[in-house]
């Protein structure tokens, strides 16, 4: 037992920590795949930044676990329990900033009527429109977070951990962003220039 | 018998999917402003930044025109006017020793490299410029360039 945390909860937190390590691993693979698929597309770059920033909640869940159980010191006589709240504040601020950036980016692009150009590429002798690669990358980017999100949710509820809960919720809702992105690229494929902008909004 | 399966209720989604995939295969990606359709069997208006175009650019332009079975019409002018005309769709392509690092890159779409050019001491990729987001036309031009290089 750690600082009044029941064994049952501690076990769940440990399981959540394992899941967060898995989240980081899968996110890194997604970031790599998205990087190779994005080409010069500005919209995919935004999606890529979004994926990179979504590394923050798992990291900010794992980091405080290293500190919060440390014994109190002379300088911090009440211990380090509140590190979790500080991490939550950081994660929340980062996500708000990201949301604001994406909204600004989308609205300004819509107002300026930026037109997304997506060319083609040769892979193993096949001439492929990069839009299809982006769709494939986006499909891949949906699967691990949604599965992990649904596994993390009950753990977050049971442990009453707010970072874990936010992370699980965000992951579980990831398919919406992914599907909107896919719709955006297919829309561009059909010759509409604006769907990607709305998606980002 | 077979037609009854195709037009039966269970067959309809299958037919719809087949038709959709065929449509997607033919039409995706498309041009928002219809450049490919406009030039095919018609006139390909090419802005030239240098006169006459050197061999690599002239060859590429000729092959693009051939690919869309169009007559080439060369338009000369200062770079800013030509790029503004390209953005407005008044011309379809700009050629003439354009490096991939051109400052106009943000306002137009650049094709795959069709070779290199020397700028000072550096070698840069030589590209053509087309109207932004005309993805079908971009692919047509890129495929032509690839065949030229091979």
């Amino acid at each position: 037992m750690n600082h009044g945390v029941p064994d049952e909860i501690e076990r769940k937190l440990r399981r959540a920590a394992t899941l967060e390590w898995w989240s980081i691993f899968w996110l890194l693979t997604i970031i790599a795949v998205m990087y190779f698929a994005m080409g010069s597309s500005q919209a995919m770059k935004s999606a890529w930044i979004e994926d990179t920033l979504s590394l923050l909640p798992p990291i900010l869940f794992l980091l405080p676990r290293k500190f919060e159980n440390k014994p109190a010191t002379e300088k911090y006589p009440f211990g380090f329990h509140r590190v979790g709240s500080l991490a939550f504040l950081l994660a929340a601020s980062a996500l708000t900033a990201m949301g604001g950036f994406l909204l600004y980016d989308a609205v300004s692009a819509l107002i300026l009527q930026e037109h997304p150009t997506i060319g083609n590429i040769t892979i193993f002798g096949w001439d492929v429109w990069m839009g299809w690669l982006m769709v494939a990358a986006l499909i891949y980017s949906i699967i691990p977070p949604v599965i992990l999100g649904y596994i993390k949710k009950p753990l977050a509820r049971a442990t009453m951990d707010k970072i874990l809960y936010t992370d699980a919720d965000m992951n579980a809702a990831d398919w919406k962003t992914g599907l909107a992105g896919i719709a955006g690229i297919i829309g561009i494929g059909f010759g509409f220039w604006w769907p990607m902008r709305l998606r980002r909004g | 018998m077979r037609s009854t399966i195709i037009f039966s209720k269970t067959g309809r989604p299958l037919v719809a999917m087949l038709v959709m995939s065929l449509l997607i295969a033919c039409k995706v990606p498309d041009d928002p402003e219809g450049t490919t359709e406009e030039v095919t069997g018609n006139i390909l208006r090419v802005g030239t930044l240098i006169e006459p175009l050197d061999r690599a650019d002239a060859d590429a332009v000729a092959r693009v025109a051939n690919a869309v079975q169009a007559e080439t019409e060369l338009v000369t002018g200062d770079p800013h006017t030509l790029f503004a005309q390209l953005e407005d769709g008044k011309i379809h392509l700009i050629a003439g020793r354009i490096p991939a690092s051109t400052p106009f890159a943000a306002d137009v779409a650049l094709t795959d490299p069709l070779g290199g050019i020397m700028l000072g001491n550096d070698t840069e990729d030589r590209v053509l410029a087309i109207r932004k987001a005309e993805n079908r036309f971009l692919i047509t031009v890129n495929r032509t360039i690839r065949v030229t290089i091979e």
Side-chain angles (χ1 to χ4, degrees):
Chain A
M1 208 146 101
N2 276 321
H3 294 273
V5 178
D7 280 343
E8 169 78 21
I9 302 285
E10 182 54 35
R11 250 202 320 276
K12 284 190 168 147
L13 281 173
R14 263 205 300 273
R15 178 155 160 66
T18 317
L19 286 173
E20 292 294 35
W21 278 114
W22 276 111
S23 290
I24 292 176
F25 167 76
W26 287 110
L27 271 173
L28 287 175
T29 65
I30 289 168
I31 290 166
V33 167
M34 294 280 281
Y35 178 80
F36 287 114
M38 73 182 174
S40 59
S41 161
Q42 200 56 44
M44 283 294 278
K45 232 169 249 175
S46 300
W48 184 75
I49 294 172
E50 199 181 330
D51 284 327
T52 313
L53 281 175
S54 59
L55 274 173
L56 270 178
I59 291 173
L60 287 172
F61 172 79
L62 291 168
L63 264 185
R65 278 179 58 80
K66 298 265 176 233
F67 297 100
E68 62 192 358
N69 285 329
K70 282 200 169 163
T73 61
E74 210 168 293
K75 201 173 172 193
Y76 298 99
F78 300 105
F80 294 87
H81 284 292
R82 304 304 292 272
V83 161
S85 296
L86 187 62
F88 181 67
L89 174 72
L90 278 177
S93 315
L95 293 176
T96 310
M98 184 179 85
F101 158 72
L102 289 175
L103 189 67
Y104 163 78
D105 200 34
V107 169
S108 65
L110 201 59
I111 292 170
L112 294 172
Q113 305 208 341
E114 276 175 20
H115 291 32
T117 307
I118 304 176
N120 52 339
I121 190 172
T122 311
I123 304 171
F124 306 121
W126 286 74
D127 185 359
V128 192
W129 182 50
M130 283 191 72
W132 295 130
L133 287 187
M134 292 174 188
V135 168
L138 281 167
I139 290 174
Y140 176 66
S141 82
I142 299 175
I143 299 164
V146 170
I147 294 172
L148 284 164
Y150 277 101
I151 307 175
K152 281 185 224 166
K153 247 186 179 172
L155 288 174
R157 259 187 228 116
T159 54
M160 294 189 196
D161 190 298
K162 47 192 169 187
I163 299 186
L164 190 60
Y165 192 84
T166 317
D167 186 35
D169 221 21
M170 258 179 60
N171 284 167
D174 216 47
W175 64 271
K176 288 180 202 159
T177 336
L179 275 193
I182 291 166
I185 289 165
I186 291 179
I188 291 168
F190 278 110
F192 310 125
W193 58 265
W194 42 265
M196 207 65 183
R197 309 298 159 196
L198 289 187
R199 174 199 100 74
R200 286 154 67 196
Chain B
M1 262 317 265
R2 189 162 284 173
S3 62
T4 45
I5 293 170
I6 290 174
F7 293 109
S8 70
K9 264 191 179 167
T10 43
R12 260 177 230 161
L14 196 77
V15 175
M17 261 178 65
L18 269 172
V19 171
M20 274 296 285
S21 350
L22 274 174
L23 269 176
I24 289 174
C26 303
K27 289 292 274 183
V28 171
D30 207 353
D31 301 323
E33 308 290 345
T35 302
T36 314
E37 253 172 56
E38 194 182 309
V39 297
T40 304
N42 217 323
I43 292 169
L44 177 74
R45 275 189 292 277
V46 181
T48 58
L49 293 171
I50 48 169
E51 222 184 354
L53 286 176
D54 61 15
R55 206 174 142 210
D57 283 318
D59 267 9
V61 168
R63 277 170 194 270
V64 172
N66 192 35
V68 292
Q69 296 149 2
E71 297 259 332
T72 315
E73 185 185 303
L74 296 182
V75 179
T76 49
D78 66 282
H80 288 94
T81 307
L82 287 179
F83 277 98
Q85 285 180 332
L86 184 68
E87 277 183 66
D88 293 340
K90 287 184 182 125
I91 56 177
H92 307 113
L93 189 82
I94 298 183
R97 292 176 56 85
I98 305 173
S101 61
T102 170
F104 290 103
D107 306 313
V108 295
L110 300 177
T111 65
D112 284 345
L114 46 120
I117 34 168
M118 284 299 286
L119 288 180
N121 292 326
D122 301 322
T123 311
E124 290 258 6
D125 281 337
R126 176 204 292 257
V127 294
L128 302 174
I130 68 155
R131 196 177 184 186
K132 218 174 181 184
E134 297 295 276
N135 294 322
R136 191 168 163 202
F137 188 56
L138 176 66
I139 288 181
T140 309
V141 177
N142 277 347
R143 284 185 183 148
T144 316
I145 288 173
R146 253 169 239 170
V147 174
T148 315
I149 292 170
E150 279 159 20

